[in-house]
Amino acid sequence: MGLKPNGNYRNLKDSYLFFGISKKVAAYRAEHPDLPLYRLGIGDVSRPLCEAVIRALHAAAEDQAHAGTFHGYVPECGLPEFRSAAAGYYARRGVKLDPEEIFVSSGASDELGDILDLFDPSSPAQIAQPAYPAYVDASVMAGRKVTFLTAGPENDFLPMPDEQSDAELIYLCSPNNPTGAVYSRDQLQAWVDYANRRGAVILFDAAYEAFAEDGLPHSIFETKGAETCAIEICSLSKTAGFTGTRLGYTVIPKTLEREGMNLNAMWVRNRTTKTNGVSYILQKAGIAVFTDEGLRQIRENIKIYKQNARVLTDALDSAGIRYWGGKNAPYIWMQCPDGMKSWDFFDLLLDKIQVIGTPGEGFGACGEGFFRLSSFGDPEETKEAATRLRRLLASC
Ligand code: PLP
């Protein structure tokens, strides 16, 4: 008897990926304290915040020092100025949003779990795997049935709708973590048409939108009809180096309704109940990201990460290794050589060349045989890691 805990937590699989990596790295370091390690495993950024953001942070902190400019609670759904600045960012790409369709958040991770409050737990979630682990775990914690769509070389890691499936809540991530694959506008249009046909809702994770180039879509709202079937979850973590600063935003169109219930209005109710907003100081920093100066400066950092990715893909090209991503995404998803399993390849890289990557198996069973390299590291370290990788792969 007594209080019953949420039994859904019993259905969670152990999250071995990052714990497993850090355990193996710690053991290796203890045995080889003098050897430098080259980290291509992290999903964290290495470049500091840009100048425009730092200036805004200082100015906003100063505002809080004076009675005339001090801010206490700010509106739960976001400072109007932040919501307008984010709407302006979309407008640059021809996407017209009402600022009230944009909700400030403390980052995409929080939103990926919290947003499930809008949907009945009996509605199953469909997740394309390999996937960012939080999609599955947040759905399982909420007691939601999860089905999987398999991404693989056969569909270039860009699975398309399965007419036979019972998808109601569909997670899509593009540019993708971990595969680096990016949906074209036509492919996203096919997803949107499918979701509208069956009354499903797409949760579109756009955490890596800033890396999309070559005319590829940054937002699901660049397609026709997304305003009646999609929610977009965005983050300034990878766009502007806010991983430790924490700021994101979520787009819920006012036209998104199911069974006569308006999801935008429901989210207003949710946020005004479950949060007291996001820090005034951080929102002012976020506004600075969306200025001409801020956007120019964050692009400089993204350019550095893209150059890192090129150094790594050059090494893979020279070894004749097949890979996906790396051009419009910060991640490179490589096939392990000689049919190796992903943890075996992890051990080989750590042991022989002191390079740390991420085993694909950690992103779902269909990630077995693949390996994720990140371009978020320091450029000099990345160059040395690429040289070592090239040498090792040549001898495989
Ligand atoms: N979505 C994806 C696909 C990610 O890779 C990450 C972070 O790595 C997040 C969301 C979470 O981002 P945030 O730092 O905004 O919580």
Side-chain angles (χ1 to χ4, degrees):
M1 273 302 144
L3 177 78
K4 276 179 93 168
N6 181 347
N8 297 317
Y9 280 63
R10 293 201 179 93
N11 301 328
L12 291 168
K13 296 228 165 67
D14 280 346
S15 171
Y16 182 69
L17 182 61
F18 294 106
F19 174 67
I21 292 174
S22 58
K23 221 168 99 182
K24 280 174 180 271
V25 170
Y28 189 82
R29 199 183 262 294
E31 264 183 54
H32 309 276
D34 300 328
L35 287 179
L37 296 175
Y38 301 91
R39 295 179 189 276
L40 300 181
I42 50 162
D44 201 351
V45 293
S46 57
R47 304 285 309 153
L49 294 171
C50 70
E51 219 182 290
V53 167
I54 292 295
R55 212 181 323 116
L57 281 170
H58 282 294
E62 192 59 28
D63 286 349
Q64 297 298 69
H66 309 283
T69 50
F70 170 76
H71 282 75
Y73 289 125
V74 291
E76 294 92 337
C77 299
L79 282 176
E81 203 184 342
F82 176 82
R83 302 175 93 182
S84 294
Y89 181 57
Y90 276 89
R92 286 171 186 258
R93 281 190 234 106
V95 175
K96 200 165 174 299
L97 294 178
D98 178 336
E100 289 184 359
E101 296 180 308
I102 297 173
F103 295 82
V104 74
S105 77
S106 295
S109 287
D110 306 43
E111 295 289 273
L112 285 165
D114 292 353
I115 204 84
L116 297 177
D117 265 10
L118 293 181
F119 308 102
D120 191 277
S122 67
S123 295
Q126 185 181 73
I127 298 171
Q129 272 195 327
Y132 184 58
Y135 306 155
V136 178
D137 288 354
S139 296
V140 170
M141 285 176 191
R144 192 173 300 281
K145 181 182 154 208
V146 177
T147 61
F148 295 102
L149 260 192
T150 303
E154 66 286 358
N155 50 28
D156 270 331
F157 291 96
L158 293 168
M160 295 306 292
D162 173 3
E163 297 291 343
Q164 312 309 320
S165 77
D166 61 353
E168 289 177 10
L169 190 60
I170 302 165
Y171 284 85
L172 294 180
C173 176
S174 175
N176 190 272
N177 177 14
T179 68
V182 190
Y183 280 113
S184 70
R185 198 165 278 101
D186 286 349
Q187 288 172 316
L188 279 190
Q189 188 65 59
W191 271 111
V192 164
D193 293 345
Y194 167 80
N196 273 325
R197 258 194 327 271
R198 39 182 313 130
V201 168
I202 296 173
L203 289 182
F204 190 75
D205 184 340
Y208 297 96
E209 61 81 16
F211 288 79
E213 290 174 6
D214 301 334
L216 290 163
H218 290 245
S219 161
I220 196 152
F221 297 110
E222 291 177 45
T223 62
K224 285 198 188 74
E227 67 281 2
T228 52
C229 70
I231 289 176
E232 184 156 286
I233 294 179
C234 306
S235 165
L236 292 182
S237 283
K238 311 302 161 75
T239 301
F242 275 57
T243 50
T245 307
R246 310 304 305 146
L247 198 69
Y249 51 99
T250 296
V251 181
I252 308 182
K254 287 186 171 178
T255 41
L256 182 57
E257 296 193 342
R258 289 294 177 272
E259 297 190 356
M261 296 182 80
N262 184 288
L263 274 71
N264 178 290
M266 286 166 71
W267 197 237
V268 171
R269 192 76 169 84
N270 181 297
R271 294 292 86 180
T272 52
T273 303
K274 293 196 170 181
T275 79
N276 252 332
V278 173
S279 152
Y280 164 79
I281 296 174
L282 300 187
Q283 294 195 61
K284 292 295 270 190
I287 292 165
V289 170
F290 297 125
T291 60
D292 288 341
E293 184 193 11
L295 291 173
R296 202 172 49 248
Q297 290 174 356
I298 63 166
R299 271 188 216 117
E300 288 305 310
N301 282 340
I302 288 171
K303 226 191 270 173
I304 291 169
Y305 297 137
K306 287 202 170 207
Q307 179 54 32
N308 283 347
R310 202 157 324 131
V311 166
L312 292 167
T313 52
D314 282 351
L316 298 180
D317 283 334
S318 76
I321 296 280
R322 197 168 177 208
Y323 61 86
W324 290 260
K327 187 148 190 285
N328 291 290
Y331 299 118
I332 298 153
W333 183 247
M334 61 174 286
Q335 199 147 32
C336 299
D338 303 327
M340 279 180 90
K341 292 204 175 247
S342 60
W343 278 104
D344 292 341
F345 189 58
F346 175 90
D347 292 338
L348 180 77
L349 292 195
L350 180 58
D351 188 42
K352 299 284 187 221
I353 59 172
Q354 294 75 52
V355 167
I356 302 160
T358 313
E361 190 264 348
F363 300 98
C366 61
E368 184 54 285
F370 296 90
F371 200 76
R372 192 190 76 173
L373 302 175
S374 159
S375 68
F376 280 127
D378 168 78
E380 288 312 311
E381 269 188 46
T382 303
K383 270 186 212 155
E384 177 59 26
T387 304
R388 289 170 175 237
L389 194 58
R390 189 190 298 250
R391 216 180 297 135
L392 178 85
L393 290 170
S395 68
C396 268

